[in-house]
mmCIF file of all heavy atoms in Angstrom:
data_model
loop_
_atom_site.group_PDB
_atom_site.id
_atom_site.type_symbol
_atom_site.label_atom_id
_atom_site.label_comp_id
_atom_site.label_asym_id
_atom_site.label_seq_id
_atom_site.Cartn_x
_atom_site.Cartn_y
_atom_site.Cartn_z
ATOM 1 N N VAL B 195 5.560 -27.660 -30.999
ATOM 2 C CA VAL B 195 6.532 -28.750 -31.145
ATOM 3 C C VAL B 195 7.452 -28.472 -32.329
ATOM 4 O O VAL B 195 8.681 -28.651 -32.238
ATOM 5 C CB VAL B 195 5.795 -30.101 -31.321
ATOM 6 C CG1 VAL B 195 6.780 -31.209 -31.698
ATOM 7 C CG2 VAL B 195 5.054 -30.457 -30.044
ATOM 8 N N ALA B 196 6.876 -28.001 -33.429
ATOM 9 C CA ALA B 196 7.702 -27.680 -34.600
ATOM 10 C C ALA B 196 8.723 -26.602 -34.263
ATOM 11 O O ALA B 196 9.908 -26.694 -34.630
ATOM 12 C CB ALA B 196 6.798 -27.236 -35.762
ATOM 13 N N MET B 197 8.282 -25.562 -33.549
ATOM 14 C CA MET B 197 9.220 -24.488 -33.166
ATOM 15 C C MET B 197 10.363 -25.037 -32.308
ATOM 16 O O MET B 197 11.507 -24.601 -32.418
ATOM 17 C CB MET B 197 8.487 -23.417 -32.353
ATOM 18 C CG MET B 197 7.457 -22.606 -33.135
ATOM 19 S SD MET B 197 6.646 -21.448 -31.969
ATOM 20 C CE MET B 197 5.202 -20.958 -32.926
ATOM 21 N N ALA B 198 10.021 -25.985 -31.459
ATOM 22 C CA ALA B 198 11.011 -26.498 -30.506
ATOM 23 C C ALA B 198 11.990 -27.462 -31.160
ATOM 24 O O ALA B 198 13.096 -27.674 -30.656
ATOM 25 C CB ALA B 198 10.304 -27.184 -29.339
ATOM 26 N N THR B 199 11.584 -28.041 -32.293
ATOM 27 C CA THR B 199 12.420 -29.068 -32.910
ATOM 28 C C THR B 199 13.015 -28.610 -34.241
ATOM 29 O O THR B 199 13.654 -29.400 -34.934
ATOM 30 C CB THR B 199 11.581 -30.341 -33.146
ATOM 31 O OG1 THR B 199 10.418 -29.996 -33.932
ATOM 32 C CG2 THR B 199 11.117 -30.948 -31.823
ATOM 33 N N GLY B 200 12.781 -27.344 -34.559
ATOM 34 C CA GLY B 200 13.368 -26.820 -35.798
ATOM 35 C C GLY B 200 12.593 -27.174 -37.047
ATOM 36 O O GLY B 200 13.066 -26.921 -38.164
ATOM 37 N N ASP B 201 11.406 -27.714 -36.884
ATOM 38 C CA ASP B 201 10.585 -28.059 -38.053
ATOM 39 C C ASP B 201 9.862 -26.832 -38.605
ATOM 40 O O ASP B 201 9.783 -25.797 -37.961
ATOM 41 C CB ASP B 201 9.523 -29.105 -37.661
ATOM 42 C CG ASP B 201 10.126 -30.502 -37.608
ATOM 43 O OD1 ASP B 201 11.290 -30.664 -38.035
ATOM 44 O OD2 ASP B 201 9.430 -31.404 -37.096
ATOM 45 N N LEU B 202 9.316 -27.004 -39.777
ATOM 46 C CA LEU B 202 8.558 -25.951 -40.431
ATOM 47 C C LEU B 202 7.194 -25.767 -39.770
ATOM 48 O O LEU B 202 6.558 -26.730 -39.341
ATOM 49 C CB LEU B 202 8.301 -26.325 -41.902
ATOM 50 C CG LEU B 202 9.531 -26.449 -42.803
ATOM 51 C CD1 LEU B 202 9.116 -27.056 -44.145
ATOM 52 C CD2 LEU B 202 10.142 -25.068 -43.009
ATOM 53 N N ILE B 203 6.741 -24.533 -39.722
ATOM 54 C CA ILE B 203 5.320 -24.257 -39.468
ATOM 55 C C ILE B 203 4.783 -23.530 -40.695
ATOM 56 O O ILE B 203 5.565 -23.105 -41.566
ATOM 57 C CB ILE B 203 5.078 -23.401 -38.199
ATOM 58 C CG1 ILE B 203 5.743 -22.023 -38.343
ATOM 59 C CG2 ILE B 203 5.567 -24.117 -36.944
ATOM 60 C CD1 ILE B 203 5.317 -21.030 -37.274
ATOM 61 N N ALA B 204 3.466 -23.387 -40.744
ATOM 62 C CA ALA B 204 2.868 -22.648 -41.853
ATOM 63 C C ALA B 204 2.759 -21.173 -41.469
ATOM 64 O O ALA B 204 2.296 -20.843 -40.374
ATOM 65 C CB ALA B 204 1.475 -23.201 -42.160
ATOM 66 N N ASP B 205 3.179 -20.293 -42.387
ATOM 67 C CA ASP B 205 2.928 -18.881 -42.115
ATOM 68 C C ASP B 205 1.475 -18.576 -42.456
ATOM 69 O O ASP B 205 0.707 -19.475 -42.812
ATOM 70 C CB ASP B 205 3.912 -17.992 -42.894
ATOM 71 C CG ASP B 205 3.730 -18.082 -44.403
ATOM 72 O OD1 ASP B 205 2.570 -18.228 -44.881
ATOM 73 O OD2 ASP B 205 4.743 -18.011 -45.115
ATOM 74 N N VAL B 206 1.085 -17.329 -42.330
ATOM 75 C CA VAL B 206 -0.323 -16.980 -42.486
ATOM 76 C C VAL B 206 -0.845 -17.258 -43.896
ATOM 77 O O VAL B 206 -2.036 -17.477 -44.106
ATOM 78 C CB VAL B 206 -0.561 -15.507 -42.077
ATOM 79 C CG1 VAL B 206 0.050 -14.560 -43.101
ATOM 80 C CG2 VAL B 206 -2.033 -15.212 -41.846
ATOM 81 N N ASP B 207 0.078 -17.309 -44.863
ATOM 82 C CA ASP B 207 -0.321 -17.600 -46.246
ATOM 83 C C ASP B 207 -0.178 -19.073 -46.582
ATOM 84 O O ASP B 207 -0.385 -19.473 -47.735
ATOM 85 C CB ASP B 207 0.547 -16.786 -47.218
ATOM 86 C CG ASP B 207 0.377 -15.296 -47.012
ATOM 87 O OD1 ASP B 207 -0.721 -14.872 -46.589
ATOM 88 O OD2 ASP B 207 1.345 -14.537 -47.252
ATOM 89 N N GLY B 208 0.235 -19.863 -45.589
ATOM 90 C CA GLY B 208 0.380 -21.289 -45.836
ATOM 91 C C GLY B 208 1.778 -21.696 -46.271
ATOM 92 O O GLY B 208 2.058 -22.882 -46.441
ATOM 93 N N GLY B 209 2.654 -20.725 -46.417
ATOM 94 C CA GLY B 209 4.018 -21.038 -46.828
ATOM 95 C C GLY B 209 4.856 -21.564 -45.664
ATOM 96 O O GLY B 209 4.457 -21.462 -44.506
ATOM 97 N N PRO B 210 6.023 -22.117 -45.970
ATOM 98 C CA PRO B 210 6.864 -22.704 -44.930
ATOM 99 C C PRO B 210 7.643 -21.628 -44.166
ATOM 100 O O PRO B 210 8.101 -20.649 -44.762
ATOM 101 C CB PRO B 210 7.829 -23.588 -45.723
ATOM 102 C CG PRO B 210 7.930 -22.924 -47.060
ATOM 103 C CD PRO B 210 6.609 -22.238 -47.316
ATOM 104 N N LEU B 211 7.764 -21.841 -42.871
ATOM 105 C CA LEU B 211 8.464 -20.876 -42.018
ATOM 106 C C LEU B 211 9.143 -21.642 -40.894
ATOM 107 O O LEU B 211 8.567 -22.583 -40.340
ATOM 108 C CB LEU B 211 7.451 -19.879 -41.432
ATOM 109 C CG LEU B 211 8.001 -18.767 -40.538
ATOM 110 C CD1 LEU B 211 8.829 -17.764 -41.356
ATOM 111 C CD2 LEU B 211 6.862 -18.049 -39.840
ATOM 112 N N VAL B 212 10.375 -21.249 -40.595
ATOM 113 C CA VAL B 212 11.063 -21.846 -39.447
ATOM 114 C C VAL B 212 11.288 -20.765 -38.392
ATOM 115 O O VAL B 212 11.845 -19.712 -38.690
ATOM 116 C CB VAL B 212 12.432 -22.448 -39.858
ATOM 117 C CG1 VAL B 212 13.168 -22.975 -38.624
ATOM 118 C CG2 VAL B 212 12.219 -23.576 -40.852
ATOM 119 N N LEU B 213 10.796 -21.004 -37.210
ATOM 120 C CA LEU B 213 11.059 -20.103 -36.081
ATOM 121 C C LEU B 213 11.951 -20.852 -35.093
ATOM 122 O O LEU B 213 11.787 -22.061 -34.915
ATOM 123 C CB LEU B 213 9.757 -19.719 -35.377
ATOM 124 C CG LEU B 213 8.746 -18.896 -36.177
ATOM 125 C CD1 LEU B 213 7.481 -18.656 -35.343
ATOM 126 C CD2 LEU B 213 9.344 -17.551 -36.601
ATOM 127 N N THR B 214 12.872 -20.156 -34.480
ATOM 128 C CA THR B 214 13.771 -20.840 -33.537
ATOM 129 C C THR B 214 13.804 -20.101 -32.203
ATOM 130 O O THR B 214 14.839 -19.608 -31.762
ATOM 131 C CB THR B 214 15.198 -20.907 -34.105
ATOM 132 O OG1 THR B 214 15.595 -19.567 -34.452
ATOM 133 C CG2 THR B 214 15.252 -21.779 -35.342
ATOM 134 N N PRO B 215 12.648 -20.021 -31.554
ATOM 135 C CA PRO B 215 12.607 -19.292 -30.288
ATOM 136 C C PRO B 215 13.319 -20.068 -29.174
ATOM 137 O O PRO B 215 13.447 -21.289 -29.248
ATOM 138 C CB PRO B 215 11.113 -19.212 -29.993
ATOM 139 C CG PRO B 215 10.556 -20.452 -30.604
ATOM 140 C CD PRO B 215 11.345 -20.640 -31.878
#
Side-chain angles (χ1 to χ4, degrees):
Chain B
V195 171
M197 292 177 196
T199 55
D201 280 351
L202 296 170
I203 62 168
D205 65 35
V206 71
D207 299 330
L211 181 69
V212 176
L213 295 178
T214 54

